[in-house]
Amino acid sequence: MPVQPQPIHSSHPTYSRIKMTKWPSIKALGWHNAVNIYDATFIREALARFIVSYANPALTRTAGENASLDIRHRVASIPVYHKLKITGKFNNGIMDTTRDAVHARPTCHDQQGRPVPARFDTVLPTVHYHAWHAITGYHVRRVRLIFTLPKKIRDEFLAGVIAPRPLA
């Protein structure tokens, strides 16, 4: 009896989405602690650049850089998450499956007082959405902090724009 060929199933999900816990791991992390504990050295400057470029995508790089210098954060802290999951529904399945997880957790101590090393995962974000199949569309990045924008920042700088969630 001849062997029947097995159907080829695509390993690429038909969609993917990011799942996070309902509540943040740290409800309010101050900017100073983001720099000292998570080693997110340029978090405020990077966030200002992101806000300007996200709210005004037509700005040139120089104009966006100049506009980001005028952004002043009026919040003292941000909600921080230590893990996010990337899930996907596949062509041959009907349920979401976890494809990957990203961790950003500083050094801490367990219940016995032993040190637990920090875990900051490396990710390959795509620069161009349509370039997921080519290596040229990716950058290597270390995730130091996973957070969401506080309502105060969303209302002030991203009014009328759908605010992204989460940021890393």
Side-chain angles (χ1 to χ4, degrees):
M1 186 170 191
V3 177
Q4 295 293 325
Q6 296 295 319
I8 298 173
H9 297 290
S10 171
S11 62
H12 298 291
T14 55
Y15 75 88
S16 63
R17 67 181 219 207
I18 294 174
K19 284 187 173 183
M20 297 174 55
T21 57
K22 185 174 182 179
W23 306 109
S25 305
I26 299 175
K27 187 176 179 181
L29 180 73
W31 298 111
H32 181 73
N33 286 336
V35 172
N36 292 334
I37 297 172
Y38 288 82
D39 200 24
T41 311
F42 302 106
I43 181 70
R44 295 183 85 160
E45 295 84 358
L47 184 58
R49 273 190 235 108
F50 172 78
I51 288 171
V52 168
S53 66
Y54 191 80
N56 306 301
L59 286 179
T60 64
R61 186 178 203 133
T62 306
E65 195 70 32
N66 291 336
S68 71
L69 297 174
D70 296 331
I71 300 267
R72 298 287 178 254
H73 303 294
R74 291 175 178 80
V75 295
S77 59
I78 52 175
V80 172
Y81 298 81
H82 287 166
K83 180 180 178 180
L84 66 86
K85 289 182 184 179
I86 301 166
T87 63
K89 186 174 288 195
F90 293 87
N91 294 331
N92 58 352
I94 56 172
M95 294 177 37
D96 280 352
T97 57
T98 300
R99 293 291 297 157
D100 206 352
V102 178
H103 298 84
R105 187 186 65 228
T107 302
C108 60
H109 291 84
D110 65 9
Q111 292 178 345
Q112 285 76 36
R114 297 175 297 208
V116 177
R119 181 171 180 184
F120 297 109
D121 288 350
T122 303
V123 296
L124 294 170
T126 176
V127 177
H128 305 290
Y129 179 72
H130 62 279
W132 59 267
H133 63 281
I135 194 72
T136 58
Y138 293 94
H139 289 284
V140 177
R141 298 289 186 249
R142 170 75 42 100
V143 176
R144 290 286 179 183
L145 200 59
I146 301 168
F147 63 98
T148 55
L149 293 174
K151 185 172 177 7
K152 209 177 207 181
I153 289 179
R154 289 192 314 260
D155 292 345
E156 183 175 354
F157 298 114
L158 299 174
V161 179
I162 297 173
R165 184 191 158 140
L167 297 173

